[in-house]
Amino acid sequence: GNLNQIDEEFIEHLKDFMPNLLSPSSLVVKAMADKEVKAKEIIQYFKSYIEIFKGNTMPEAKSMLQVTIEANNLVSLASAKELYIASMESLCGGERPYLNQQQLDTEHSLIVESALAEFDSRKKLGGEESSLQYREQLATEIEKSYNHYKAHNESKNIFKAASTPITLFVMWFVLYILSQVTSLLMLDPLADLASWLMWGLFSLGVTWAYIKFSGEFSEIGVVIDWMTGEVWDNCFQTLLNKAVERGSETAMKQAVTMMKLVSTPNPTMNLVSTPNPKLNLVGTPNLGPKKRL
């Protein structure tokens, strides 16, 4: 701005104010409600007060109190969200490896509890009623961020990225077996149909590979991924789950049978020998009492 347009009285007071403001004795760590305030948190207070002092008249004390309450809650919200983001970045962000969805949900719940505890631990003006809406806002923003982290983590899933070619190959292999069986049974129409479907799957796989490597026709790639995903979830995944369940039941039955066999004693085996009353301790036959000579 133009310094000539500034009132001289303001400049004189500014010369006294700035040395006191920036003197080493005045540069101390600021605190709010017995908790140290970071520089970026102070900026939030500055923005809130600048908005209320924009007018030509002095704001009312009630308005200033309301602005202070809002700024105080926004600072608490930003601090809790910063804790959440830092924890999630160390868990699954950036170059971190893929996490199982169940494990990610469990860790996310613990981190959310820590973030909400951080928000609640800060003393806030206005009481619980004023901070409740900001706590709900924090939960909403955390949920949005979690959806982003879930999508980022899912993109690291190698099987998810390769699910389309794997599904196409499994379908092609099933059709190949079908064509061979129908050929042996002299069912030429079914064998020809299976062969045509095999060529169709092969063409679909080539098209998908071209789309992924070239980046063109992405809409078609999305449709192919959706189709193979539906086939996998409704057919192969169901069969796989049933096979795993049946295998687990068989293994449990065999384990129970083996435990019963081990725990049941064999009646034909007598591990403790019973003494013969007709034999003495040295093993010689007992001939009765000796005759007196």
Side-chain angles (χ1 to χ4, degrees):
N2 190 355
L3 296 179
N4 295 327
Q5 296 180 359
I6 301 177
D7 188 45
E8 294 183 359
E9 183 179 1
F10 177 80
I11 295 177
E12 291 179 2
H13 289 291
L14 191 64
K15 290 178 180 179
D16 297 331
F17 174 72
M18 293 305 296
N20 293 329
L21 178 65
L22 301 178
S23 63
S25 59
S26 300
L27 294 177
V28 295
V29 178
K30 304 299 186 292
M32 177 70 69
D34 299 331
K35 197 160 189 176
E36 294 183 356
V37 181
K38 300 178 182 178
K40 57 184 177 181
E41 296 175 351
I42 295 179
I43 294 176
Q44 180 62 51
Y45 285 101
F46 287 168
K47 289 181 179 180
S48 300
Y49 289 126
I50 287 173
E51 288 294 326
I52 197 173
F53 281 106
K54 274 185 176 180
N56 296 326
T57 59
M58 284 293 294
E60 298 180 0
K62 183 178 180 181
S63 300
M64 293 186 64
L65 177 61
Q66 187 65 32
V67 169
T68 304
I69 293 173
E70 178 183 358
N72 181 240
N73 281 280
L74 288 175
V75 168
S76 301
L77 186 150
S79 176
K81 188 176 180 181
E82 181 183 3
L83 174 63
Y84 170 80
I85 291 176
S87 301
M88 291 298 293
E89 284 291 333
S90 63
L91 178 66
C92 62
E95 300 297 327
R96 300 293 299 172
Y98 169 75
L99 278 180
N100 179 272
Q101 185 61 45
Q102 184 177 1
Q103 182 181 0
L104 182 63
D105 291 338
T106 303
E107 295 293 337
H108 169 257
S109 300
L110 296 176
I111 294 174
V112 169
E113 290 179 2
S114 300
L116 294 177
E118 169 66 18
F119 179 85
D120 296 335
S121 66
R122 287 176 170 263
K123 295 181 180 179
K124 292 175 284 294
L125 300 174
E128 295 295 330
E129 295 182 359
S130 299
S131 63
L132 182 60
Q133 60 174 338
Y134 295 97
R135 198 177 193 275
E136 294 176 353
Q137 180 181 347
L138 172 63
T140 303
E141 293 182 5
I142 285 177
E143 189 63 27
K144 291 180 180 179
S145 300
Y146 182 51
N147 292 332
H148 167 74
Y149 283 113
K150 281 199 299 186
H152 180 67
N153 180 69
E154 196 64 29
S155 65
K156 302 175 186 178
N157 190 349
I158 298 177
F159 177 78
K160 191 71 174 180
S163 61
T164 297
I166 290 175
T167 305
L168 291 175
F169 175 77
V170 172
M171 294 170 64
W172 183 91
F173 184 75
V174 171
L175 289 173
Y176 173 77
I177 298 297
L178 180 62
S179 66
Q180 296 300 313
V181 172
T182 52
S183 296
L184 292 175
L185 298 176
M186 302 299 179
L187 300 175
D188 294 335
L190 291 178
D192 294 338
L193 177 61
S195 298
W196 281 108
L197 291 175
M198 288 168 59
W199 278 108
L201 288 175
F202 178 78
S203 302
L204 201 63
V206 172
T207 303
W208 179 86
Y210 173 78
I211 292 172
K212 290 299 179 181
F213 284 100
S214 66
E216 301 177 359
F217 309 108
S218 58
E219 296 83 3
I220 300 177
V222 171
V223 173
I224 295 175
D225 289 334
W226 175 79
M227 291 172 57
T228 54
E230 289 294 320
V231 172
W232 178 266
D233 293 337
N234 297 322
C235 296
F236 299 124
Q237 188 66 46
T238 304
L239 295 175
L240 183 62
N241 291 339
K242 289 183 178 180
V244 171
E245 183 179 356
R246 185 66 60 85
S248 300
E249 291 178 357
T250 304
M252 288 294 295
K253 290 179 180 179
Q254 292 179 353
V256 171
T257 304
M258 292 295 296
M259 291 178 65
K260 288 182 178 179
L261 291 175
V262 172
S263 60
T264 303
N266 192 343
T268 61
M269 298 292 294
N270 190 1
L271 300 180
V272 180
S273 61
T274 57
N276 190 344
K278 296 183 179 181
L279 297 178
N280 57 13
L281 294 177
V282 295
T284 58
N286 190 356
L287 299 179
K290 295 180 179 181
K291 294 182 178 181
R292 183 177 296 176
L293 296 177

